[in-house]
Amino acid sequence: MMMPTQRTRMVAGTPIVVGERRLLPSVAVTTLEGGEPGAGIFRYVKARPVSIVAEGPEGARWLEIPNTTVNTLSTMAAVGVGVAAISVLLIALFRLLRPR
């Protein structure tokens, strides 16, 4: 069985011209490929916008696009694990301290 391979690359999008400004988006493309020819081959591709370079008369500015969904879900998962760990510790503590 072959292990899946993952590749991430940055791809520059098509420039967008708005008045005197030129916007150049960039995307992170993650590709996951795996499988064997006899058993089946799979490919998963995910594209996420990463940044925009805004070029104007005053110069170029790089604007990052934050991934707030992943950040929020990661924080929620960490809080959930923390609450579960504290609950397990409290249950163990109450079982040790209760009179028999």
Side-chain angles (χ1 to χ4, degrees), residues 62-88:
W62 181 72
L63 307 168
E64 183 180 359
I65 301 172
N67 196 353
T68 55
T69 302
V70 169
N71 296 342
T72 302
L73 290 176
S74 297
T75 303
M76 290 171 63
V79 168
V81 168
V83 167
I86 290 172
S87 299
V88 167

Side-chain angles (χ1 to χ4, degrees), residues 1-5 33-40 42:
M1 181 172 140
M2 285 180 36
M3 293 298 293
T5 58
E33 298 175 320
E36 294 182 15
F42 71 90

Side-chain angles (χ1 to χ4, degrees), residues 18-23 52-63:
V18 180
E20 295 181 358
R21 293 193 183 274
R22 180 175 173 248
L23 305 174
I52 295 177
V53 176
E55 297 174 346
E58 66 277 352
R61 283 189 338 173
W62 181 72
L63 307 168

Side-chain angles (χ1 to χ4, degrees), residues 4-8 30-33:
T5 58
Q6 179 177 347
R7 291 182 301 152
T8 301
T30 303
T31 306
L32 183 67
E33 298 175 320

